[in-house]
Amino acid sequence: MIRHFQASDDRGAMMEALQADGVIVVENAVPQGVLDAMMEDLKADLAAAPIGGGEFFGGAMRRIHGLARRTTTVAEIITAPALTGLADGVLLENCRNYRIQVLGLFQVWQGGRLQPLHRDIGVYEPYILREPGSREILLSWIVAVSDFTAENGATRIVPGSHTWPRERIAREDEIVQAEMPRGSAVVYLGSVLHGAAVNTTDQPRSAIVSGYAVGWLRQEESQLLDCPPEAAARLPLAARQLLGYRAHTPILGWAEQRDPDDLLAEREPDVAAEGYKVQSLQNM
Ligand SMILES: O=C(O)CCC(=O)C(=O)O
Ligand SMILES: [Fe+2]
């Protein structure tokens, strides 16, 4: 079972459930109007994308990435307080800021196969192996852009699998589907087993598949290439910082000896950061 909350619910209770089960659903995480506007902006690009995706994506997936370059509406999704509030709780004990890991619109169409169950932190293996109980580096989330039902391919998730040894295989009765209404988000630790399900209906299941990773880690998708500076400049500050136009410690990820966001905003360099920078460089 996946516990459901409303975006307006007490954050402490959500955090407790998220840490205990590794996954929760937050209903009303994103306003319907934002999803409508986003789908309108993405309509043509989506229609042009092939349905397929090979072994990992189950063979009936239509995906587009680079969403922040294609529509400014996603800024409201990636900065939604229901999502960032949980990321603050999960990730900030392990970093000074976090960034978008991947950002795609995923449609599951009829006729595919199950996506293999996987952990999103798998992209770092074997270089980072998360031990159960260690600090999180990744908080993944999927926003339902259509209702998620058992029939249309709602993501399969294994609650509790963040505490399992890596090699343990999930039994069928341990897997649940993240059924949820449009506008909800299923939020799960990067170490939780999950995968897209099969759609047996004649309408696609649509979702924004994303997540946040600690700011000192390489992002799975290069958001700075997917959303280059000209496109990022159209976005609100918080959104472009989340994409990666921000240094971690003042010099991790800098460019032209500046925080990337200073460059984008043509702001004066941050004086406090300058002091830190000098200190850090002296210690190199
Ligand atoms: O679309 C889904 O339900 C899950 C997709 C996913 O987990 C992935 O591609 O990493
Ligand atoms: Fe995944």
Side-chain angles (χ1 to χ4, degrees), residues 234-255:
R234 297 197 293 266
L235 301 171
L237 174 71
R240 64 183 192 235
Q241 286 185 330
L242 275 173
L243 291 175
Y245 288 92
R246 172 167 56 177
H248 187 251
T249 48
I251 63 162
L252 181 59
W254 65 353

Side-chain angles (χ1 to χ4, degrees), residues 164-180:
W164 293 7
R166 274 178 65 251
E167 49 297 336
R168 178 167 159 191
I169 311 273
R171 292 190 316 263
E172 209 46 47
D173 65 349
E174 292 172 315
I175 306 171
V176 292
Q177 280 189 272
E179 293 186 81
M180 54 185 179

